[in-house]
Amino acid sequence: MWKFLHAADIHLDSPLRRLSRCENGPISVLREATRRALVNLVDLAIEEQVAFVIVAGDLYDGDWDDARTGLFMVSQIARLREANIQLFAIAGNHDAANRMTRNIRLPENAQYLSHRRPQTIVLDTIGAAIHGQGFENQAVTENLARGYPARRPDCFNIGVLHTSIDGREGHDNYAPCTLADLVNKEYDYWALGHIHARELLCSDPIIAFSGNLQGRHIRESGPKGAYLVTVNGHRATAEFRALDAVRWATVEIDISSLRHTDEVLSTLQTQIALTTPRCDGRPLVVRVELTGSGPLHHSLAGRPDRWDDQFRAIVSDQGAADVWLEQVKFLTRAPQSQTRERALEGPWGEVDRIMERAMTDDAVLDELARELRDLRARLPDDLTSSNDGIRVDDPVWLRATLASVASLLHERLRAGADSP
Amino acid sequence: MRIESLELTAFGPFTDRRLDFQEGTCGLHLVYGANEAGKSSALRALRDALFGILDRSTDNFLHRHPDLRIGMKFRSRDGVVKQFTRRKGRANTLLDPTSDTPLPDDFLSPVLGSIDRPLFESMFGIDYDQLVAGGKEITQLEGSVGQTLFSAASGLASLRDTQRELEQQAEKLFKSAGTKPLLNSLLREYKDVIKKTRGENKGSRELAQLEADIEQAAKKVSQLSESQLQAKREAERHQRILDAIEPLSQRREMRERLESLRGVPLLRDDFQRDYRAAAEQRAGAVMRKQQAEQEQTTLRQERNDCSVPPELLENHTAIPSLRDQLGGHRKAHSDLPELTRALQVCRTEAQDLLADLNHEYASLDDAQLRPLFGTLGRRIKTRRLGDTLRDLERSLERIERGIRERKQPLRDKQTSLAELSRHPDVEQWRQLLLELQAKAPCENSLAERRRELAEVDSHIASLLAQLPGWAGNCEELTRFAGPCEERIAEYEGRRNAIASRRMSAQSQLEELHTELQREQAARHRIEKGGTSVVSEDALLEARAARDQTWQIIRSLLENPEHDTAQPTEPGRLQTLRSEYEKRVADADAIADRLRRESDRVSEFARCSAEIERLEKAIVRTQSALEDLRNEESNLARQWRDDWTPLREVAEHPGEMRAWLRRRNEVLLQIQRRDDLRRQIDDYQTALAATRRSVEERCRADGIAAPMESESIQTRAMLTQKLLDRWQKEEATRRELERDLERLREQMDADEGERARLTNELDGVRNAWREALVPFGLPAEATPEHLDDALNRIDQAKKKMHEAFGPNGLHDRIAGIQHDTQAFTQRVRELAMRSGIPLNSADPADDAERLLDRLTDAKQRHDRGIGIDQQLEALGEKIRRSDEAIEVAGRRLQVFCDEAGCESAEHLDARHHQSMERRTLEDQLRIVERELLRCAAASPIDDLEAQVRSCNEREVQQAVHDASQQEQQLSSELAEAREELGGLRQQRKAFDTGTEAIDASARVQAILAEIERCATDYVRTALAAATLRRAIDTFNERYQGPMLQRASGYFRQLTAQAFTGVRIGHDDNDRPIVVGSKRSPDGREQTVPAVAMSDGSADQLYFALRLAYLAEWLERNEALPLIVDDILIKFDDTRALATLEVLAEFSRKTQVIVFTHHQHLLDLARSTIADQTLFVHHL
């Protein structure tokens, strides 16, 4: 019986995205999250005395070229060498684009498999055969799996591949293949990389994406880590081990049944108190999503800036736990009856009527959005191009934002009315 | 909605206080309360009743928060009256006042619709502060039409501030051309950090190059280091030769001295200490031997005094045993008389006990009594028999007592059972009860329906009476279809359109007149300038006259004969010439004037043209106005045609809608009345059938029939009671029968048991009598007698056993006598064996003397043994001293041998020589070691030969040269190392430093900030844009109707000081709201809002609010208008005017005015009709 580790998509030194400046936070932990996750991976390999570690692509991140990143990778692989553990990696799309892959020489216990043709490494002492092929350039669109060699009958066969398989949302469609392509190779284990969400595609043989080692933004929530694979003959069992240094989580608060704003705050406290223990002491970054349709909608959506500050205060007051708020999403809707009736009458109704028309009439929406043209021209691409960024050109995004504008207006006008 | 009453059950200063607003159709209700009377609390209570008591309500100073209660009764548009109680809380705050159970949360939704508290307060509530703020807002808005109307309609007094706040907030966040706004600043920071991030990155290619440079520099350092080492070694070699010269000389001298000490052994370092220790040991041993010999002599003399007789000592183990026996002997002798007396007492007591039982036993001796105790073994059996006898007698007694006690209850229950009577068939009565219970609610329903019917009839009559212009009855109303909503809406639309066009046309006409007057005045001023104004037409006319004259002259000159009309005359041509010249001069004069007075002429022409245009426009506008009037009268005719059956036709569609709503309410009530009548018939039929069933049943079972007036519910209750009584009697009967049965069974069982026990008791009594015989007891003796007899026997037996039993008193006396005899014998025997003569009569005294003698002998004997042991030890000590003396002597001899001297006295001198040799050898070794270093691993002799063969000065020169070379190389090496160090330092920066990822994290942090700010900006900018658009669209939709209504209200509110409200233009030609008034000369003037007095601006605001509210009420459920002391700063004229407006407005909806000014009440009472004004005092 022997063990190995299957990891992928380390993206070393890739930053945690859209995290506000944390005045009193563990800045070094948040900043070096991917490094700490890599250290955790090496610690686990040494502790479990694995035979080798597989990294199925993307050790580095895109065009990030800071030699210190490569040297940190070297230092960790050197720790593996001291424990007599080898590392086998393939270049993923990010590695292929990265200069460090060529310029930073890894220690002798680490080996990149060829990117020109499929390469097989046989470890006679334990009877393992590792087949793999890296990316020659950033965009590999042919089916690499088909070219992989036949299985070695006397060995435990492991296929290593950086692929989007038959396509996954949010990931470029590289080295596409089908599950059948992989199964037909009759390998005992397929260690896949590229897709950042952990996924077990098949249990016999095991075909799995280990996911990335450290979540870097809110869409990479939940535990992140690697598979610890135990091999007994031709049978393998894979156990997931969380290795991330910082955890991302979304806390959803449905306001439908809430009647008082204090309940929103207490619900947030409860939700965070429930989420924190599941992080095993890791710092936690949360996004709060306010959803549902209820009487508190106007109060929340009317003063989002004030609520944002209150939520941040609550999250930072969570006692010993290291919890940070990434952002608050106001996705609530007005109660149906209020919306319908109010849209009919008078000055207040005019506001609602314009909102309703903007929801269906592009011309009205364009007229309102004319105010935002200058802003759009000045915003960085990083913000305007991502799915959850500021998408002023996108009618869907604009309409979602407008949902809270009516409430904001009602609240402001009323606040003015209360203090003549 | 109309509030019928407000119950201030527990709120603010009130307890169980009621305000009744039921009077009047809607009514103007004036709630008067002096200061501190609770006017503000009542006002808050009214709002809190409708929308909930506020969390932080301050009206809890008399009643605690949980106890606060406000009740309200209201009538909704469909005439239904409802009531509720409001308590403070977060859920279930609406309660049913009759049952105090929660009402559904949406209980008020049908009347309030989408109106919440803020909307209610802004639309249906107005106080003095709001009025003043509204007036001020209108002034600040400078009459801007859209904003003014929007602000007044929404009840907002801060629209301008809100708009400005939104715009300022947006500008604070972002400006397309600014640098200070937050977002602009963040975007700049973002760019800077991105640039810096690129600078922070240390590229991997740079690292690879650096590592190659380091390798090369390291190689250079290695080479220089080797060369420097070579030079250094050469210098050292020559220096070593120089260093060897002096040590070589010393070495020679030392070796010569050592030669002289050859034969002196090298003694150990501790040699001197060892031989001196041996000498000291020998001297000590001699002294110890002399002391031991003296002690030996003294002890031998003392030993002679310690001799004892040997016979006594031979018995030293036997004699001490007498001491143990001596104590026992003396104790036994003292106990013996007491034991003898006790033996006699026991015997006497046993005999006395038995004599009480049977006097024959008193004479029996010990031997005769013992068998008697043995034969009495049967007593256990007899005692059991006695117990059985006693148990049987008790059981029999218990059974007989039971039989006696049960006889009376048995008789009682038989009597009770006989007294119970039979009852009719319960099942049929139960069925009847079910039927009665099923029908009982019908009676309530019937009464309820009848009551409802009466209410509905009354309501219909009331509604019909209140239905304006209708003289027919219900059926006629049902048949009258009337125009549909679409028709009214069409009429309203057309009417509004015509009104709007008419207003516009009137406004236009007024403007045209004004302009015409202005133009006419201008032309008049030009004309008044002196000379007449020439025109181009005059020039044209002059020129035409000139040309005509010229044509005549020309034709005369060319064809004089053809002129037939006027024959040529000599003077004619002259006349024509003069005329021509005059006309030429006229035309030129006119042309000159035209040129000279061109401005005046053109202004005059423009004025004339404008006047003409304006006159035409006025005609057109008047014509259009006439058309509009015609159109309006046609429309009104059509409108009246649609309402033919009505006596009066309301002019306004809103009133017509209200009429239709009221008619619909009547129709609904009629339909409800018919439904109620049908239901009443159904209920009556069902109830009659049930009554018949009851009568039949009563007749069948002989029970009194119900009275006519008795209700089904009462009958059901009576039947239920009857059934309950019968059921109870049946249960009692069953219970009695069960009890009787149980009692009889118990009596039978007890009788049987008594017979069995009587038989058994007879047998046991016979056996008992026989069993008493051996104990000498009479036949009538009871078991207690037997117990007493057996106790006595047991006591007697115990006494006898104490006296004569094993180890009893008798045995102990015999034992003491035997022990005394044996002790005496033993003492005498030991005295004789020890040779001690004894002559005492008491063996105890002899024994003590013998023991004393033995003790003394043993002490002397022990002292002799101790002296012997001391003597032996001294002998041993002398022997050991001898041995020590010998050993020390031998050791000293060994030291002499080692040092090579004959006696111990020479040892010190020898030791000194040895020390000198050792020192020399050590010094020689040091010198040779130094020489070996100089020889660099070659033999010293070779070095010596080398030194001998070289020249010292040449060697010194070689040392100098080699050192110079080494220094040169050392300098180069330092430079190379410095370069290498620098490169390594650069390389080290790659191992540490997190600047790049820090910068990268900063980028993300700034992006997050930008996203937050940008989202805020988007929301704010969209809100501002939406508000602008909402103001514009509201203005388009409501401007006409609102201004038309507001004109009337404003005229009334200002007591005709103003004639109305309309649209004017400011200096920048922007449309604004203006008030119009008539000047003393009858001309109409406009006053912009900004130019109005504060009071007028307030009244303009109030007029606009009432105008929009009236519009709103036409389409929605009415809610009461709550007015809080807005008249405090109005003069009496305008206050009265405002009260009249409110009284008129109260025809549309209920108006509740709160005030604490008595004179306002008087004012209102003086002018407003009693059926409209209702005053309430707090």
Side-chain angles (χ1 to χ4, degrees), chain B residues 21 121 279 470 721 799 845 878 888 931 968 1070 1096 1156:
Chain B
F21 299 118
E121 287 176 358
W470 182 260
K721 279 184 180 171
K799 292 289 176 190
D845 295 342
I878 291 165
L931 287 170
Q968 175 66 28
R1070 285 182 311 189
S1096 298
H1156 60 269

Side-chain angles (χ1 to χ4, degrees), chain B residues 288 291-292 295 873-882:
Chain B
R288 284 197 302 277
Q291 283 175 352
E295 283 179 33
L874 285 171
E876 180 63 23
K877 193 174 176 183
I878 291 165
R879 193 180 56 74
R880 281 204 303 274
S881 299
D882 287 340

